Amino acid sequence: MSSAPAPEPAAPDGGFEVPTRWLPGTGAYAELDEDAYIEGALILSIGGAQQSHVDVLHPGRVFYEYLQRIANVIDLVAPRGVPLRVLHLGAGALTLVRYVQATRPGSRQVAVDLEAELLDFVLDAMPLPEGTSCEIIARDAADAVLEQPDAAFDVVVLDIFAGADAPAHLTGPDFVAHLLRVCAEDGVVLVNVGDDPPLAFARAQSRQLSSLAAATAVLTEAAMVGGDQAGNVIVAARRTAWPADWTRALLAAGPHPAAVLTGPDLARFEEPPT
């Protein structure tokens, strides 16, 4: 028996009225607040926890560090401005969809999220920029990926994991194999893993991708590498070799201090914590 939703939060007096929406699948309220420091930017929170940041006036700028790292990889997949085919699993506020459209107009994108109410809420409050070609799908990520043809995307982004709370059916080798299957040979799969020390889940996901992909790299803040700090780890996987110039470019792009782990450094990171 489901419980009734909690009373909707009251709007503040004057100024910006905070849009809110009850998410039945999540069992929490979503709300959009103005960023107090960046004009025209909005922050999506779910259940009081910040989830996404959108610079509506400048969608080509990404605020969260882990999304900046993902965006920096997307920048390398093809020459500047060339349209890409991008699959987003875990839509949030569609921040990366907006980024790809701003930097690569004409890209064909697909965004998937299990929570249909969240997608409606975000699009009602912040419609996608004119000209954006993005199919919006309210489904489980595993089911949506199964329906995609081989090599259909240049970039596949999985942004659903939150440490040990990750959906079990999205953490196994079968699902990862499908992520690689729908990725083009010269494309990249990017998996964001939020984790707590000692990063056991992030290390396990990196090991799994390394066992299935031709090449893997880990992108994170330098202080995260030792496993003593909570945060986000991006695992990037390719069906072909990892370009050495990507490592140099990503280290230069930051956010700083940045770590890009490949080869022996990656192997050491993937060792299970003791």
Side-chain angles (χ1 to χ4, degrees), residues 134-207:
C134 183
E135 180 183 3
I136 305 294
I137 300 176
R139 293 197 67 184
D140 184 275
D143 294 334
V145 169
L146 283 174
E147 296 179 350
Q148 303 301 324
D150 294 356
F153 299 96
D154 305 299
V155 180
V156 178
V157 179
L158 177 65
D159 189 7
I160 296 174
F161 293 161
D165 295 330
H169 68 294
L170 302 182
T171 65
D174 290 344
F175 179 65
V176 171
H178 278 294
L179 297 182
L180 292 166
R181 174 186 64 80
V182 304
C183 185
E185 187 171 356
D186 289 333
V188 64
V189 173
L190 296 162
V191 179
N192 172 47
V193 186
D195 205 5
D196 295 317
L199 307 184
F201 180 67
R203 297 176 198 274
Q205 287 300 301
S206 184
R207 284 196 304 273

Side-chain angles (χ1 to χ4, degrees), residues 10 28 31 37 69 87-88 90 106 126 158 191 212 227 265 270-271:
E31 64 179 48
Y37 303 100
R69 298 188 200 282
L87 173 63
H88 306 264
M126 297 182 294
L158 177 65
V191 179
L212 296 170
D265 292 336
E270 291 177 342
E271 292 176 0

Side-chain angles (χ1 to χ4, degrees), residues 238-255:
R238 284 171 51 89
R239 294 172 55 189
T240 55
W242 180 262
D245 60 335
W246 281 25
T247 298
R248 292 189 291 270
L250 292 169
L251 284 171

Side-chain angles (χ1 to χ4, degrees), residues 21-235:
R21 181 78 60 90
W22 175 253
L23 306 180
T26 306
Y29 271 105
E31 64 179 48
L32 283 167
D33 298 282
E34 286 184 317
D35 187 315
Y37 303 100
I38 302 176
E39 182 181 358
L42 296 174
I43 299 170
L44 169 68
S45 298
I46 299 176
Q50 293 186 4
Q51 301 288 332
S52 300
H53 183 283
V54 175
D55 191 332
V56 179
L57 297 181
H58 306 281
R61 297 197 301 215
V62 177
F63 182 74
Y64 288 166
E65 287 193 2
Y66 86 90
L67 284 180
Q68 289 179 36
R69 298 188 200 282
I70 291 175
N72 290 340
V73 177
I74 293 174
D75 290 346
L76 298 173
V77 173
R80 183 182 299 273
V82 173
L84 294 174
R85 302 165 299 164
V86 186
L87 173 63
H88 306 264
L89 301 170
L94 301 167
T95 305
L96 283 177
V97 172
R98 303 170 199 274
Y99 177 82
V100 171
Q101 173 61 20
T103 57
R104 298 176 179 273
S107 293
R108 182 180 66 82
Q109 305 188 70
V110 177
V112 179
D113 201 285
L114 185 60
E115 182 64 82
E117 284 290 338
L118 176 61
L119 292 168
D120 290 342
F121 173 63
V122 166
L123 290 170
D124 284 348
M126 297 182 294
L128 291 174
E130 185 176 351
T132 303
S133 174
C134 183
E135 180 183 3
I136 305 294
I137 300 176
R139 293 197 67 184
D140 184 275
D143 294 334
V145 169
L146 283 174
E147 296 179 350
Q148 303 301 324
D150 294 356
F153 299 96
D154 305 299
V155 180
V156 178
V157 179
L158 177 65
D159 189 7
I160 296 174
F161 293 161
D165 295 330
H169 68 294
L170 302 182
T171 65
D174 290 344
F175 179 65
V176 171
H178 278 294
L179 297 182
L180 292 166
R181 174 186 64 80
V182 304
C183 185
E185 187 171 356
D186 289 333
V188 64
V189 173
L190 296 162
V191 179
N192 172 47
V193 186
D195 205 5
D196 295 317
L199 307 184
F201 180 67
R203 297 176 198 274
Q205 287 300 301
S206 184
R207 284 196 304 273
Q208 181 167 256
L209 277 157
S210 292
S211 71
L212 296 170
T216 311
V218 158
L219 290 67
T220 190
E221 183 184 349
M224 289 278 297
V225 175
D228 299 324
Q229 180 174 309
N232 294 81
V233 172
I234 309 300
V235 186

